[in-house]
Amino acid sequence: MIKLYDEALSGNCHKVRMLLSFLGLEYESVPISVPDLEHKTPEYLAMNPLGKVPVLEDGGEIIRDSQAILYYLARKYGNGEWLPEGDAASGHVMEWLSFAANEMIHGCAMARALVLFNREGDRDAARALAEQCLDILNGHLEGRDWLVGTAPAVADIACYVYAGLVHQGGVDPLTYANVAAWLARVEALPGYVGMAALPAGDN
Amino acid sequence: MIKLYDEALSGNCHKVRMLLSFLGLEYESVPISVPDLEHKTPEYLAMNPLGKVPVLEDGGEIIRDSQAILYYLARKYGNGEWLPEGDAASGHVMEWLSFAANEMIHGCAMARALVLFNREGDRDAARALAEQCLDILNGHLEGRDWLVGTAPAVADIACYVYAGLVHQGGVDPLTYANVAAWLARVEALPGYVGMAALPAGDN
């Protein structure tokens, strides 16, 4: 069975949980405690030398990085969905996977992590980049339902999660009208699963 | 003809120049002056709202982001080379494209930019991440000629450029033996092109 090395509050892990659910795939969630540094043990680093969650294990193959896992799962199990066909559309999906790996992480995810996990770092800089990310998404979504083509793709999942969670970092994505409509569109997809609720007192 | 919106000292542009050369594709280089903010004009932002080089134009399609462009070119023009087949190998390529989009940029490319372009930022933090990137590449390349499978792929080009240029940021990649051998292997490929020389006094 597919194993997901998983951390409940990680948005990167949640990207993978979402696609596994959309694809109707059963999997075993192996909890990795970040506070206990279980992502830095020799055994974990042998799977992912970056020491980050998530990692996917499937039939002896180990895939790290949420974008790579989304791509792998869609290619292997997507039956032609989640990865639009054609050279240009494939290139556009890759644009958004890079955006999810870089700008969304250093903007939206970082703004959230600095508040939620009380990490050290520049909150203003992270929020400014988060706002720039939301601006770019909002502009691109003008007149579009999905980031690439006319159906939801791994590009949407990769960008959705931290766009949806950035309010926990003090930036409200719902003030960006096209982003707000797109977040709602993702959340209305059959099989959508939300993040686990935070402990009371957080949001 | 393919157009590359190009900046001579940009490693991200150089990734694309390398693959265009390996594939034997003719193209027009459209110089974009970063000091003159030509990557922030309304016309340029309409092509790439991130305001970054490179951008590729091919038959009316606009593709931004060096990783996305590598993927697009290899898929369209690679004749089965540069993108290994199979779900797992494709997933592994994506792991390194994410690594190139995130860690290599914030480590190796940033360490170089802070010195070479005299940008403001934390040189020690960038160098520490650059060293971590080289460590990860070095460990992965133990017993391997290429990052994924047994032939060069877009993964290698995406990671090669800033691994090769990070000495300009004060980190010597040649002290990592497997990285040094892999850099030399890339540079020995037929069609390899190097970066333009820096003005005298720089390196």
Side-chain angles (χ1 to χ4, degrees):
Chain A
M1 188 188 288
I2 292 171
K3 270 189 195 175
L4 176 63
Y5 295 85
D6 197 5
E7 206 277 322
L9 294 179
S10 158
N12 284 322
C13 292
H14 193 62
K15 297 175 193 173
V16 180
R17 294 192 291 261
M18 282 176 66
L19 185 56
L20 287 164
S21 176
F22 287 139
L23 295 175
L25 292 169
E26 285 193 34
Y27 66 100
E28 178 189 351
S29 170
V30 181
I32 296 293
S33 166
V34 169
D36 293 337
L37 298 181
E38 290 179 356
H39 56 319
K40 305 293 183 191
T41 64
E43 295 75 21
Y44 193 87
L45 291 173
M47 293 197 297
N48 182 3
L50 280 73
K52 294 179 180 176
V53 286
V55 162
L56 190 90
E57 198 179 324
D58 181 24
E61 286 292 342
I62 302 281
I63 313 276
R64 68 161 188 259
D65 181 83
S66 56
Q67 281 66 242
I69 296 170
L70 291 179
Y71 181 81
Y72 167 82
L73 288 172
R75 203 184 130 108
K76 183 161 180 187
Y77 299 108
N79 291 316
E81 297 193 333
W82 301 101
L83 280 179
E85 291 194 6
D87 297 320
S90 301
H92 293 314
V93 167
M94 288 300 312
E95 292 173 344
W96 295 108
L97 295 187
S98 280
F99 185 74
N102 182 356
E103 287 83 2
M104 290 296 293
I105 288 297
H106 292 272
C108 294
M110 184 62 77
R112 170 182 182 251
L114 294 177
V115 173
L116 196 61
F117 308 126
N118 209 19
R119 293 218 189 121
E120 273 187 45
D122 185 339
R123 290 188 186 194
D124 289 341
R127 283 177 186 157
L129 181 55
E131 286 165 1
Q132 198 194 337
C133 287
L134 293 169
D135 245 352
I136 286 168
L137 288 169
N138 202 58
H140 183 77
L141 287 163
E142 181 69 33
R144 287 187 176 90
D145 282 350
W146 307 104
L147 290 177
V148 182
T150 55
V154 292
D156 298 285
I157 300 176
C159 294
Y160 161 82
V161 169
Y162 286 114
L165 292 174
V166 69
H167 66 92
Q168 296 173 345
V171 176
D172 183 2
L174 301 184
T175 61
Y176 299 77
N178 298 329
V179 169
W182 167 73
L183 295 174
R185 222 171 278 129
V186 172
E187 289 158 13
L189 289 170
Y192 172 81
V193 286
M195 285 287 278
L198 294 176
D202 298 330
N203 72 344
Chain B
M1 187 188 287
I2 293 172
K3 270 189 196 176
L4 176 63
Y5 295 85
D6 198 6
E7 205 277 321
L9 294 180
S10 158
N12 284 322
C13 293
H14 193 63
K15 297 175 193 173
V16 180
R17 295 193 291 261
M18 282 177 67
L19 184 56
L20 287 165
S21 176
F22 287 140
L23 295 175
L25 291 169
E26 285 192 34
Y27 67 100
E28 178 190 351
S29 169
V30 181
I32 296 294
S33 166
V34 169
D36 293 339
L37 298 181
E38 290 179 358
H39 56 318
K40 305 293 183 191
T41 64
E43 295 75 20
Y44 194 87
L45 292 172
M47 293 197 299
N48 182 2
L50 280 72
K52 294 180 180 175
V53 286
V55 162
L56 190 91
E57 198 179 325
D58 181 25
E61 287 291 343
I62 303 280
I63 313 277
R64 69 161 187 259
D65 181 84
S66 55
Q67 281 65 242
I69 296 170
L70 291 179
Y71 181 82
Y72 167 82
L73 288 172
R75 204 185 128 108
K76 184 162 180 189
Y77 299 109
N79 291 315
E81 296 193 335
W82 300 101
L83 280 178
E85 292 194 4
D87 298 320
S90 301
H92 293 315
V93 167
M94 289 299 312
E95 293 173 344
W96 295 109
L97 295 186
S98 281
F99 185 74
N102 182 356
E103 287 83 1
M104 290 296 293
I105 289 296
H106 292 273
C108 294
M110 184 63 77
R112 171 182 181 251
L114 293 177
V115 173
L116 195 61
F117 308 126
N118 209 18
R119 293 219 189 119
E120 272 187 45
D122 186 338
R123 291 188 185 194
D124 289 342
R127 282 177 186 158
L129 181 53
E131 286 166 1
Q132 198 194 336
C133 287
L134 292 170
D135 244 352
I136 286 167
L137 287 169
N138 203 58
H140 183 76
L141 286 164
E142 180 68 33
R144 287 186 176 93
D145 282 349
W146 306 105
L147 290 177
V148 182
T150 55
V154 292
D156 298 285
I157 300 176
C159 294
Y160 161 83
V161 169
Y162 287 113
L165 292 174
V166 69
H167 66 93
Q168 296 173 346
V171 176
D172 183 2
L174 302 184
T175 61
Y176 299 78
N178 298 328
V179 169
W182 166 75
L183 295 175
R185 221 171 277 131
V186 172
E187 288 157 16
L189 289 170
Y192 173 80
V193 286
M195 285 287 277
L198 292 176
D202 297 332
N203 71 344

